[in-house]
Amino acid sequence: MDYERVDMREMSPEELEMGVKQSQLVFKLNHTMPMTEEYDEILKELFGDNIGENSIVAAPIAGAAFDHMKIGNNVFINSISLLMARGGITVEDDVLMAAN
């Protein structure tokens, strides 16, 4: 398995801008009624094409660099998850993650 060493003190202006946008999306997600079309749209905007079919991320969540996270098909990530993905996170198909 390859790992990327990440220095959290070094962020480009683009990464900082993305961090602000994602923080705002996370706030919005955490304050939106789950299992609604609006919730699904925010989730799609947060993760882009990196979230598989039939996958659910239950709010509230916290974290950073969601654009570096890949979520497979049929994944359930329960609430109160801290997802720090600056070095990358991959969740394979058919994974269930407990809360907290």
Side-chain angles (χ1 to χ4, degrees):
M1 199 175 257
D2 294 331
Y3 294 97
E4 178 184 343
R5 183 176 294 261
V6 176
D7 186 343
M8 296 299 288
R9 299 167 295 183
E10 297 179 17
M11 294 181 73
S12 70
E14 294 81 14
E15 289 172 317
L16 289 171
E17 183 179 331
M18 179 64 81
V20 169
K21 179 181 178 187
Q22 289 181 354
S23 292
Q24 293 169 347
L25 286 170
V26 166
F27 180 88
K28 192 172 181 181
L29 183 78
N30 289 340
H31 293 87
T32 300
M33 183 68 70
M35 308 302 174
T36 63
E37 190 173 310
E38 180 183 9
Y39 187 92
D40 292 343
E41 288 172 7
I42 297 167
L43 201 61
K44 178 70 173 166
E45 188 174 355
L46 185 61
F47 289 99
D49 292 331
N50 292 332
I51 186 166
E53 294 183 23
N54 302 314
S55 291
I56 298 170
V57 179
I61 64 170
F66 296 96
D67 55 317
H68 290 96
M69 185 167 181
K70 292 184 172 59
I71 299 172
N73 297 320
N74 306 309
V75 170
F76 179 75
I77 298 175
N78 212 333
S79 60
I80 316 174
S81 294
L82 176 59
L83 307 167
M84 302 298 289
R86 187 135 185 256
I89 296 175
T90 300
V91 180
E92 300 290 340
D93 294 345
D94 305 311
V95 171
L96 305 174
M97 293 175 66
N100 296 310

